[in-house]
Amino acid sequence: MDVQTFCAQVLKVTEPEALRQCIGAIRVLNLHKGQVLLACGEPVMDVYFIKQGVLRGYYFDENGREITECISGTPGMAFMPGFDWHEPARINIGAAAAGTQVFAIPVELADAMMANRPETRQIYVEQIKLAGEIHLKARNALLEGAALQRYQWFLQNYPGVADQVSGKIIASFLGITPVTLSRLRRSMRQKAQEQGGGRKDPT
């Protein structure tokens, strides 16, 4: 998806002059794995949408442990450190996978579009609603499920993400230790191999 397609399909901008302004202002940022896109406490200068790869929001607890609060690899989805982009970032946003790219919309342009385009306001409402639903589902799944249930839920709801990001990040998001995640993965591989033909995991 190039910038023009993103503007037309995701932002619903089709008028020639508005489309020209958006194409001229929106940037595609190429991020390497682990790169911090926005640090906690910094002013938000751009509104981000995922182009490809995986972004995550994370923070450090009182013991200095890195906690992944949210993660997404859905192209076209907004990824922000809070609901109000005029407030400083409340979490860090970084690339969780190699080859991650984002569309960066300057806040000034986002403000103008919100003020002048009902379509943009509707997109904002839809994105806020979607983010709220995702966070609620994640909270319920991670509070109620055992470690295996949490990981199975993750695989179902974040297809393909487990193949792109480290086990440390997944474990942090699920609220389990990397050792526990490693054991779960090994057990699931062994079970799948045994069911598929009686072979055992050589590792």
Side-chain angles (χ1 to χ4, degrees):
M1 183 188 303
D2 59 16
V3 174
Q4 182 169 343
T5 302
F6 168 72
C7 291
Q9 294 185 358
V10 178
L11 300 183
K12 310 301 182 185
V13 177
T14 55
E15 300 89 340
E17 180 57 24
L19 185 60
R20 184 190 65 79
Q21 292 178 355
C22 287
I23 292 174
I26 295 174
R27 297 164 294 145
V28 174
L29 305 182
N30 299 289
L31 310 174
H32 59 75
K33 186 175 182 178
Q35 181 175 343
V36 177
L37 180 60
L38 180 65
C40 180
E42 290 185 345
V44 178
M45 306 302 294
D46 297 286
V47 178
Y48 303 114
F49 283 76
I50 298 173
K51 184 176 188 293
Q52 67 178 40
V54 183
L55 285 179
R56 68 171 179 135
Y58 64 98
Y59 63 93
F60 296 91
D61 67 12
E62 62 274 9
N63 297 315
R65 292 178 301 180
E66 192 174 279
I67 307 297
T68 298
E69 180 178 285
C70 52
I71 190 168
S72 179
T74 304
M77 183 174 179
F79 204 99
M80 292 296 296
F83 293 137
D84 186 351
W85 56 62
H86 298 104
E87 296 291 332
R90 65 174 187 81
I91 57 174
N92 304 287
I93 292 180
T100 296
Q101 294 181 320
V102 300
F103 295 105
I105 306 174
V107 166
E108 294 82 1
L109 175 60
D111 283 338
M113 293 176 68
M114 286 281 288
N116 300 318
R117 296 183 56 84
E119 301 92 336
T120 301
R121 291 194 292 274
Q122 181 60 34
I123 292 169
Y124 175 77
V125 170
E126 292 172 355
Q127 289 285 343
I128 291 296
K129 181 180 178 181
L130 177 61
E133 291 174 349
I134 290 173
H135 278 274
L136 181 60
K137 289 180 180 179
R139 179 180 179 276
N140 291 338
L142 301 182
L143 283 178
E144 298 174 358
L148 177 57
Q149 293 171 316
R150 296 182 194 184
Y151 185 50
Q152 290 173 331
W153 169 85
F154 177 82
L155 294 176
Q156 181 179 358
N157 288 272
Y158 296 82
V161 172
D163 298 325
Q164 301 181 66
V165 306
S166 69
K168 179 181 178 182
I169 289 176
I170 297 173
S172 172
F173 180 59
L174 298 180
I176 61 179
T177 67
V179 172
T180 296
L181 177 61
S182 179
R183 289 173 179 166
L184 286 175
R185 285 176 155 177
R186 184 165 58 250
S187 176
M188 292 172 68
R189 285 197 303 269
Q190 290 174 340
K191 184 176 181 180
Q193 290 176 344
E194 290 169 0
Q195 291 177 342
R199 298 188 305 273
K200 293 187 177 181
D201 192 336
T203 60

